[in-house]
């Protein structure tokens, strides 16, 4: 049953790659590689345009390392994103799919804007997991790396279910030791979408205005971009049919309810297993 849940940002690859073409993006930075599925597509895009692809992940999967060995022109920074920004001078576009919590994403956006302004380039960022469950609930791969004042009470074992702010012990979508969820959804400084909201509100107060599109499918994709970029009108036309699309949102809710039912069935089956007697 493990293959039932599509979850990768690579599900958006056709849309992302078309957007990158419109922006003539040649230097691309990816935050969060995991198995390298999206990495391979982004690297090929850069290779075809004589550009450079940089990917940041402190602990990607073995499959990514195998792919990296076969693609030595790819630059890999084995650091957290916030540690790696000191080594980044410019990028035409950023694909952000790393640690899904307010503190990390908010500061990633601040750093991305700072790097882009220094390089004289418009901002173009694709952010995964802007929808449920991480849009309004922090997730932590390494909670100790988040300053205490920004870190919510959390659990590796309790799970998230739809339309329910508290986690539920032993049920729902959960980390099973791989990652932790914040114990409650909602509220200040909690979740990826909240980080984006706060970044955009702060920028607007300071006289900087961005475009933003939310695509409510496969855990949600957000696209943030400078409105005064030469390609912003074309990009907006590309994204508009998907932005907060009601049909996509309904399909995503149905997909999540079905997957949560699969998890529930797995939990029920595990509870029926009787441990074998020992002699």
């Amino acid at each position: 049953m493990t293959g039932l849940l599509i979850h990768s940002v690579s599900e958006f690859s056709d849309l992302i790659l078309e957007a990158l073409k419109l922006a003539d993006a040649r230097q691309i930075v990816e935050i969060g590689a995991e198995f390298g599925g999206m990495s391979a597509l982004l690297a090929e895009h850069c290779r075809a345009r004589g550009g450079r692809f940089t990917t940041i992940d402190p602990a990607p999967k073995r499959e990514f390392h195998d792919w990296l060995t076969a693609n030595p022109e790819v630059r890999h920074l084995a650091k957290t994103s916030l540690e790696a920004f000191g080594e980044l001078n410019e990028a035409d576009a950023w694909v952000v799919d790393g640690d899904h919590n307010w503190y990390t994403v908010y500061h990633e956006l601040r750093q991305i804007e700072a790097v882009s302004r220094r390089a004289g380039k418009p901002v173009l960022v694709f952010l995964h997991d802007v929808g449920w469950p991480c849009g309004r609930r922090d997730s932590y791969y390494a909670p100790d790396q988040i300053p205490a004042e920004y870190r919510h009470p959390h659990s590796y074992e309790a799970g998230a279910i739809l339309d329910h702010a508290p986690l539920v012990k032993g049920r729902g979508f959960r980390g099973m030791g791989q990652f932790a969820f914040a114990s409650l959804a909602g509220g200040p400084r909690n979740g990826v979408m909240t980080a984006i909201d706060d970044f955009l509100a702060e920028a607007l107060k300071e006289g900087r205005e961005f475009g933003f599109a939310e695509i409510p499918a496969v855990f949600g994709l957000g696209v943030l971009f400078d409105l005064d970029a030469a390609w912003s009108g074309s990009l907006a036309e590309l994204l508009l049919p998907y932005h907060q699309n009601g049909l996509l949102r309904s399909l995503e809710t149905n997909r999540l309810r079905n997957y949560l039912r699969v998890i529930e069935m797995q939990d029920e089956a595990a509870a029926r297993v009787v441990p074998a007697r020992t002699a």
Side-chain angles (χ1 to χ4, degrees):
M1 292 185 180
T2 56
L4 288 176
L5 179 66
I6 57 172
H7 69 280
S8 174
V9 69
S10 63
E11 301 296 338
F12 298 97
S13 60
D14 287 350
L15 186 62
I16 291 173
L17 292 173
E18 181 61 28
L20 293 173
K21 291 177 185 176
L22 289 175
D24 193 26
R26 304 177 185 213
Q27 314 290 332
I28 298 173
V29 174
E30 173 192 56
I31 296 173
E34 195 178 22
F35 292 97
M38 192 66 196
S39 308
L41 298 172
L42 295 172
E44 177 56 34
H45 172 93
C46 292
R47 187 181 300 116
R49 286 155 183 78
R52 188 181 192 188
F53 176 59
T54 299
T55 180
I56 301 166
D57 196 315
K61 306 298 185 184
R62 179 184 56 80
E63 291 87 342
F64 172 81
H65 285 292
D66 293 342
W67 172 79
L68 196 64
T69 300
N71 294 270
E73 80 283 3
V74 172
R75 182 189 186 197
H76 173 223
L77 300 178
K79 300 180 177 183
T80 68
S81 59
L82 299 183
E83 292 170 335
F85 275 104
E87 300 183 38
L88 301 173
N89 297 319
E90 64 175 323
D92 299 313
W94 310 72
V95 179
V96 178
D97 190 19
D99 206 8
H100 308 306
N101 55 74
W102 185 94
Y103 177 83
T104 301
V105 174
Y106 174 80
H107 288 92
E108 285 171 341
L109 289 173
R110 292 291 303 270
Q111 291 291 334
I112 286 169
E113 185 181 20
V115 171
S116 300
R117 299 299 180 230
R118 287 196 300 268
K121 291 180 176 289
V123 172
L124 174 58
V125 193
F126 303 87
L127 301 109
H128 197 211
D129 289 271
V130 304
W132 189 91
C134 294
R136 304 296 178 184
R137 185 194 298 274
D138 272 4
S139 173
Y140 309 112
Y141 284 113
D144 290 346
Q145 293 183 3
I146 306 300
E149 62 269 32
Y150 297 100
R151 187 175 64 237
H152 294 271
H154 53 276
S155 172
Y156 284 92
E157 302 303 330
I161 60 176
L162 290 167
D163 304 319
H164 195 70
L167 295 179
V168 180
K169 185 176 180 180
R171 288 184 55 204
F173 184 20
R174 53 198 189 272
M176 304 294 287
Q178 299 300 308
F179 61 87
F181 276 135
S183 299
L184 286 173
R189 294 178 173 178
N190 196 9
V192 173
M193 194 64 223
T194 306
I196 297 169
D197 287 343
D198 291 347
F199 171 81
L200 291 174
E202 183 178 283
L204 191 59
K205 283 183 179 179
E206 296 172 357
R208 307 187 319 279
E209 191 172 2
F210 292 93
F212 182 74
E214 176 205 354
I215 302 169
V218 195
F219 298 130
L221 181 73
V223 186
L224 187 150
F225 57 98
D226 268 319
L227 284 176
D228 59 359
W231 38 259
S232 65
S234 298
L235 180 62
E237 289 181 14
L238 173 69
L239 298 174
L240 185 59
Y242 303 96
H243 174 58
Q244 297 181 348
N245 182 284
L247 176 59
L248 286 179
R249 197 179 300 280
S250 295
L251 291 171
E252 174 70 353
T253 300
N254 179 259
R255 183 185 76 90
L256 291 169
R257 291 193 186 283
N258 283 326
Y259 184 67
L260 289 170
R261 178 55 185 147
V262 170
I263 294 176
E264 188 176 35
M265 291 167 63
Q266 290 176 324
D267 291 338
E268 290 168 353
R272 290 194 298 268
V273 174
V274 179
R277 288 188 176 183
T278 57

